[in-house]
Amino acid sequence: MKKTIKALKFPVIFLLIALSFIACDEEFSVLESDVLGKGNANFGIGDTILPITAYNKKLNTLQINNLNSNLLGFYNDPEFGQTTASVVTQVTPTSLSPSFGVNPVIDSVILSIPYFSKVIGVDTNGNSTYSIKDSLYGDPEAEIKLSIYRNNYFLRSFNPNSANSPQNYFSNGNSGINLTDNFALIENNTINFDDHKGEILKDTMFSPSADAIKTTIGDGDDAVTSRTVPAFRTHLDDTDDTKNFWKTTIIDIEGQPELSNVSNFYDYFRGLYFKAEAVSGNGNMFLLNFASADANIAIHYSTGEENSRTQATYSLNFSGGNRLNTFINNYNTTFVDGDPDLGDETLYLKGAEGSMAIVDLFGNDPDAYDDFINDFRKTDDNGDFIKDKRTGDFVLKKIINEAQLIIHEDISSDNEGLHRYDRIYAYDIKNNIILADYGADQATSNPSDPLNSIIFHLGQRDPDQKKYKIRLTRHLNNILLKDSTNTKIGLVLSTNVNYLNNAEILNSNNDDVTAIPAAAILSPRGTILHGNRVRNGVDSSKRMKLSVFFTEPENN
């Protein structure tokens, strides 16, 4: 007996390895009985295409506060048109009830907000070099007009109309009011932040840089230079007026209630408004890490008697308070809700405030769902489904090895380079959660590199065939084994599949889609896909399809 077991080890292991390679292949192929010998195999492998419908869902009034990062700038998507992103944010004192000493005089006021960067090498002096291309959209050489104002609109934390509920702010980029002002919505009210602009603290032409930030302290031989990651860094003390602004607004209120607690300060100094604008119809957009510990406004001042002056710093940071993105959209594509019954020929995935797709497995045909269940589950002599007494799961007569949602792009080759970092994120729109396949794919999770994270479930863009493959194996098996609900699946474009927070949609209680992954808001790009139907003249092989590959034991 022992010899027999040993003799079987190799072919069994070889079979498992072969199956794993098949599961990872571009398309499954039929595995005959070569491994065990013709006539000795007790299973067969097959495949089928399950019916689906896929249709468009227009997105607007999206939650734009509580994002983990923020877009700033102008981006002209070749497929969809223009988006301008601005930021309104509170700032928080790092210390309360400060003492600024005797005769304080402001030396400089420096704003610093890191980009999302990564080390790509080391220069000849042994210093790290960086890239910010993963968080830069558009022409890297272009400039935007950037104006930084004091914001006079109070960003409250709680909704007065709902006890203990946070106050959420929603996008209004497609308002049609104008293409110059930045708006947000709260319940039934519209906020125009341009109506609440205070003093202007910076007015500049700006383009981001991947250079490290160098800071030198001291002079001559005593000088010490430090380097930090690339950041948006600028002076807010360029003129006598701006320098005096910080003196009267912060330094001169020492001992006043406004600096005694954070709530008082938020009401007194309501934050900053970063307004971005295109320059001659061009510009770029970049992602800023406001949540970084290094994101702050540093007020450097000197204090003390004339012959014994010392230098000190008082900082305001961007963590803890409210912060939101606003969008102005000037699209050349009109987004509309699609056909949930037949599906759409063309699907539009557009970030910021645009469009998503909904995939309905089995469509609206109850017979298709019933046929799937009957085809895969075992029944007893009475025709009732059999359950495993130990696990409570249904017993299957066919085992799903892999289910692939195959999605082809419908974009021109001229724009292909723009999509090399695109990922398609799939989620359960009923419960606003990840799919079971995401949770099962932790082996490929890569927190520091979203482009190469969760690559088995969500796949990666195939640049040659211009297609995506979303694996739904666990999702379908849960339907078969555990009778899980067949929920509709949402598809959005994402450049960070690790970011799982949701963004609510205003007044969406009676809609299928009540929230979207927040990461979709932070991608200004878009892509076009073929739906479950294709236009006349398009190869039918380009249509979206759900391919299922299964093992079927013999003598079921």
Side-chain angles (χ1 to χ4, degrees):
M1 179 62 70
K2 291 182 179 179
K3 291 182 179 179
T4 303
I5 292 174
K6 289 180 180 179
L8 288 173
K9 280 185 178 179
F10 176 76
V12 171
I13 292 172
F14 185 83
L15 173 61
L16 293 175
I17 293 173
L19 285 173
S20 69
F21 274 107
I22 291 169
C24 295
D25 197 7
E26 194 67 29
E27 299 290 349
F28 271 54
S29 59
V30 175
L31 179 68
E32 300 290 355
S33 56
D34 297 336
V35 175
L36 299 179
K38 188 75 172 177
N40 293 326
N42 61 353
F43 62 89
I45 286 181
D47 62 272
T48 187
I49 304 296
L50 297 182
I52 60 171
T53 56
Y55 55 97
N56 290 292
K57 174 64 180 176
K58 178 183 178 182
L59 295 174
N60 50 28
T61 63
L62 308 176
Q63 183 184 340
I64 50 176
N65 63 309
N66 293 331
L67 301 172
N68 71 341
S69 52
N70 295 93
L71 292 167
L72 183 66
F74 171 86
Y75 179 66
N76 186 14
D77 187 290
E79 304 287 354
F80 298 107
Q82 301 172 352
T83 296
T84 305
S86 298
V87 177
V88 182
T89 179
Q90 292 176 321
V91 294
T92 306
T94 56
S95 62
L96 298 172
S97 301
S99 174
F100 297 114
V102 179
N103 300 321
V105 175
I106 289 182
D107 299 319
S108 64
V109 181
I110 299 176
L111 167 72
S112 183
I113 308 168
Y115 305 118
F116 287 87
S117 61
K118 62 182 179 182
V119 176
I120 57 172
V122 178
D123 63 19
T124 55
N125 296 318
N127 297 313
S128 297
T129 56
Y130 298 89
S131 170
I132 61 171
K133 66 179 183 180
D134 290 352
S135 56
L136 177 63
Y137 307 93
D139 183 356
E141 304 299 324
E143 293 184 318
I144 61 169
K145 180 184 179 183
L146 179 61
S147 306
I148 304 177
Y149 299 92
R150 179 177 183 169
N151 167 48
N152 287 327
Y153 183 86
F154 180 62
L155 297 174
R156 63 194 182 208
S157 298
F158 295 98
N159 186 345
N161 300 316
S162 181
N164 299 320
S165 294
Q167 178 63 68
N168 288 328
Y169 296 82
F170 300 88
S171 62
N172 197 32
N174 304 321
S175 65
I177 300 174
N178 63 58
L179 294 174
T180 59
D181 294 358
N182 283 280
F183 297 89
L185 299 174
I186 50 172
E187 288 72 53
N188 297 318
N189 296 321
T190 301
I191 307 163
N192 184 347
F193 288 105
D194 284 82
D195 289 341
H196 298 275
K197 293 185 300 190
E199 298 89 335
I200 187 164
L201 305 176
K202 190 74 177 185
D203 189 7
T204 185
M205 307 295 285
F206 178 77
S207 183
S209 169
D211 294 338
I213 301 297
K214 300 178 183 179
T215 304
T216 301
I217 300 176
D219 298 312
D221 294 337
D222 296 329
V224 176
T225 300
S226 61
R227 295 166 57 91
T228 56
V229 298
F232 166 46
R233 185 177 172 89
T234 188
H235 279 261
L236 298 182
D237 60 336
D238 296 318
T239 66
D240 290 339
D241 286 343
T242 53
K243 185 173 287 189
N244 186 60
F245 170 84
W246 295 105
K247 176 71 163 51
T248 58
T249 303
I250 302 298
I251 302 295
D252 289 350
I253 64 168
E254 176 186 341
Q256 299 300 311
E258 288 83 352
L259 291 180
S260 64
N261 63 66
V262 172
S263 295
N264 287 351
F265 184 81
Y266 286 162
D267 189 37
Y268 163 66
F269 187 80
R270 298 183 174 184
L272 300 178
Y273 170 26
F274 294 75
K275 180 168 183 170
E277 297 174 87
V279 178
S280 300
N282 198 14
N284 56 55
M285 186 177 291
F286 43 92
L287 203 59
L288 287 172
N289 188 6
F290 279 91
S292 169
D294 296 323
N296 59 47
I297 301 169
I299 303 172
H300 301 286
Y301 63 96
S302 55
T303 184
E305 300 296 341
E306 183 175 350
N307 296 325
S308 59
R309 303 284 288 176
T310 59
Q311 292 183 321
T313 300
Y314 187 71
S315 295
L316 308 171
N317 64 31
F318 293 97
S319 62
N322 284 317
R323 182 175 63 253
L324 55 91
N325 250 132
T326 61
F327 299 103
I328 300 173
N329 299 318
N330 186 17
Y331 293 149
N332 53 36
T333 299
T334 301
F335 298 119
V336 295
D337 291 337
D339 186 340
D341 295 320
L342 299 178
D344 293 333
E345 296 174 346
T346 304
L347 302 173
Y348 302 99
L349 304 190
K350 175 65 174 73
E353 187 185 32
S355 181
M356 64 176 288
I358 297 174
V359 178
D360 190 359
L361 306 186
F362 313 105
N364 291 318
D365 183 359
D367 291 338
Y369 177 80
D370 291 340
D371 289 344
F372 169 68
I373 297 295
N374 291 327
D375 196 28
F376 279 80
R377 284 184 188 166
K378 268 190 176 183
T379 57
D380 58 22
D381 293 338
N382 296 320
D384 297 323
F385 297 127
I386 303 171
K387 280 191 174 183
D388 187 306
K389 294 180 180 179
R390 181 176 57 87
T391 64
D393 292 344
F394 288 99
V395 178
L396 304 183
K397 56 186 176 183
K398 294 180 182 179
I399 310 298
I400 294 180
N401 300 317
E402 184 162 328
Q404 305 171 354
L405 184 66
I406 306 297
I407 308 168
H408 291 266
E409 285 179 342
D410 184 16
I411 58 173
S412 64
S413 59
D414 293 339
N415 298 328
E416 181 182 351
L418 297 174
H419 301 280
R420 61 188 181 276
Y421 300 121
D422 288 352
R423 302 287 301 278
I424 294 180
Y425 180 96
Y427 75 108
D428 172 352
I429 66 171
K430 177 179 175 61
N431 301 295
N432 294 317
I433 57 175
I434 59 175
L435 298 177
D437 293 82
Y438 188 109
D441 193 16
Q442 294 309 297
T444 70
S445 176
N446 190 336
S448 63
D449 187 3
L451 181 63
N452 295 300
S453 187
I454 315 295
I455 58 176
F456 191 75
H457 163 44
L458 297 178
Q460 290 176 306
R461 180 180 182 270
D462 183 330
D464 296 322
Q465 299 190 48
K466 298 181 183 179
K467 74 175 186 179
Y468 300 84
K469 181 163 57 178
I470 309 296
R471 288 179 173 87
L472 302 176
T473 313
R474 185 68 64 93
H475 181 75
L476 285 179
N477 273 325
N478 281 349
I479 292 174
L480 288 172
L481 292 167
K482 304 179 183 299
D483 213 21
S484 298
T485 303
N486 174 34
T487 60
K488 295 178 182 178
I489 295 172
L491 301 180
V492 297
L493 198 68
S494 173
T495 52
N496 186 357
V497 299
N498 294 325
Y499 182 34
L500 302 183
N501 287 11
N502 291 320
E504 294 181 12
I505 300 176
L506 182 62
N507 298 328
S508 61
N509 295 333
N510 297 320
D511 199 283
D512 280 345
V513 181
T514 59
I516 67 167
I521 299 175
L522 296 173
S523 175
R525 290 198 299 265
T527 192
I528 304 173
L529 310 173
H530 290 289
N532 61 288
R533 300 185 295 132
V534 292
R535 302 186 306 275
N536 290 334
V538 176
D539 187 344
S540 62
S541 66
K542 299 296 184 181
R543 68 182 179 88
M544 183 186 293
K545 63 180 180 180
L546 179 59
S547 297
V548 174
F549 305 91
F550 58 84
T551 298
E552 183 176 14
E554 292 183 357
N555 301 320
N556 256 316

